[in-house]
Amino acid sequence: MGDGRSDPEGLAEQVREWARDRGVVTDAPGERRLAAMRLDVLASGALPHATQADLLLTVQWAAFICWVDDCIDRGGPARAESSEAFTAPLRQVLEPSGIPSVEVMAPHVSVLAGLWERTALGMPNRWRERFAREYTDFLDATEQEVALRRAGTRLSVTEYVRLRRRTITLLPMLTVLERTGHVPMVEDPRVESQVQDLRWALADIAGWANDLASGADDALAGQDNLVAVIAREQGCSAALARDRVQAMIDQRRRDFASTAQALGTTPLPAGRGEELGRYVGLVEQFMSATLHWLSTTGRFASGAKASAAPLTPTRS
């Protein structure tokens, strides 16, 4: 499309070609899994008015994030002895002058380097530094998770929730959306704490909803998720634990709505209030898109068919 508008079929084909070319998928099952994920649904839901170019970059980031997550959780290098070796070059890519030479890049490193070069172009240093902190914190958390898993350590609900907020990768993805949605986060001391609370609530909601959707997939992989942790700690059935996770999500959504409303009434200098409103709108749209995507697409279709009942999160 010459006018830059979204073309869903063209977008899906561009993503498939990119994934094949970059090594994100290497065989027919991988292509089917990528197609089943319908990451275009997530991107177009989060950015309903975006151009094709911005949607493509958003979907590519989502595909990379899911790919790295699967490498870590589904038998990839980071589940073996070499978790630090797997994550170290990713950290290097995000350092100011740390991109490795092309000749030595593993596929996951090459993909991040390419995405980072395109996304960071023209963005302010504060944005670059924030993304690097957020993605590095994700890598720290995943290394911690792998170490705990190898040691057979079972976390409490409180410990699991704290770690899950960091492993869900929602905050780095939201920061990418600032770039592809052209809606920068408002950084102002008067709203800093509330904006952080809003972002954390989003990460919690998405992480817990993800755990509801991935139950059977996680069980097949032999790893805990929030449903299993609650069932173990509270001595209840998996069905009751699922109900309790849904109640947690509903309460967190009420927290989210309250914070968003408070931000909407915070007085800021001329123009800044409108910028803040647009940013809050972006976060709200991303949350809705993420929950819809988890409920209706095939992110976890490769696991058992009973992976999860469709999510029907209640609205505040």
Side-chain angles (χ1 to χ4, degrees):
M1 282 190 169
D3 58 6
R5 290 178 297 174
S6 173
D7 171 15
E9 291 187 6
L11 178 63
E13 179 56 33
Q14 284 181 284
V15 172
R16 282 193 295 271
E17 291 179 0
W18 169 83
R20 287 192 295 260
D21 183 58
R22 300 296 189 274
V24 176
V25 296
T26 57
D27 54 22
E31 288 198 27
R32 289 194 295 270
R33 180 168 172 79
L34 177 64
M37 282 195 255
R38 292 299 311 278
L39 294 169
D40 57 307
V41 171
L42 175 63
S44 61
L47 302 173
H49 306 296
T51 65
Q52 188 84 350
D54 285 330
L55 285 176
L56 177 61
L57 184 55
T58 303
V59 174
Q60 289 169 340
W61 269 107
F64 168 75
I65 284 171
C66 290
W67 180 41
V68 168
D69 184 63
D70 286 347
C71 285
I72 293 167
D73 289 340
R74 300 296 181 260
R79 287 199 77 181
E81 295 291 328
S82 58
S83 60
E84 291 79 9
F86 180 84
T87 61
L90 296 175
R91 298 171 186 276
Q92 189 179 358
V93 167
L94 299 176
E95 293 173 358
S97 301
I99 295 180
S101 63
V102 174
E103 292 77 13
V104 300
M105 281 192 197
H108 66 295
V109 182
S110 176
V111 172
L112 177 59
L115 290 173
W116 181 236
E117 182 178 16
R118 290 162 56 203
T119 308
L121 183 65
M123 296 300 287
N125 285 337
R126 288 174 66 90
W127 180 92
R128 295 174 183 227
E129 292 166 359
R130 177 156 49 86
F131 179 89
R133 284 196 307 271
E134 290 167 350
Y135 197 77
T136 299
D137 185 64
F138 158 73
L139 296 176
D140 290 343
T142 55
E143 286 188 12
Q144 180 182 349
E145 185 178 51
V146 169
L148 290 168
R149 191 181 297 146
R150 286 205 293 251
T153 303
R154 291 188 164 185
L155 300 180
S156 68
V157 171
T158 299
E159 292 168 333
Y160 178 86
V161 164
R162 189 180 302 122
L163 185 62
R164 188 68 176 117
R165 178 183 290 176
R166 300 168 59 209
T167 60
I168 188 60
T169 334
L170 257 286
L171 297 185
M173 191 66 209
L174 177 58
T175 301
V176 168
L177 291 179
E178 293 177 38
R179 154 68 170 82
T180 57
H182 307 280
V183 181
M185 187 177 84
V186 172
E187 300 186 68
D188 187 295
R190 284 161 289 197
V191 296
E192 181 178 3
S193 177
Q194 290 169 303
V195 168
Q196 185 67 280
D197 287 346
L198 192 75
R199 289 163 58 86
W200 281 344
L202 169 68
D204 290 343
I205 292 163
W208 304 346
N210 189 102
D211 282 10
L212 276 183
S214 66
D217 211 44
D218 290 332
L220 287 172
Q223 68 184 57
D224 266 346
N225 74 13
L226 184 56
V227 176
V229 173
I230 285 179
R232 181 174 65 240
E233 183 172 292
Q234 300 181 8
C236 64
S237 67
L240 184 54
R242 287 180 60 82
D243 290 343
R244 291 177 178 174
V245 172
Q246 184 64 64
M248 290 171 63
I249 293 170
D250 294 342
Q251 178 57 56
R252 204 69 176 106
R253 292 192 71 178
R254 288 190 285 272
D255 297 340
F256 180 95
S258 296
T259 303
Q261 183 177 21
L263 284 168
T265 60
T266 302
L268 290 177
R272 297 289 282 171
E274 292 181 4
E275 292 175 14
L276 179 60
R278 286 194 293 273
Y279 180 75
V280 170
L282 175 71
V283 180
E284 292 174 323
Q285 190 71 34
F286 186 34
M287 182 179 72
S288 296
T290 299
L291 294 177
H292 172 71
W293 174 65
L294 286 170
S295 300
T296 61
T297 62
R299 170 73 174 103
F300 302 105
S302 63
K305 291 184 179 180
S307 180
L311 289 174
T312 53
T314 59
R315 297 205 173 265
S316 303

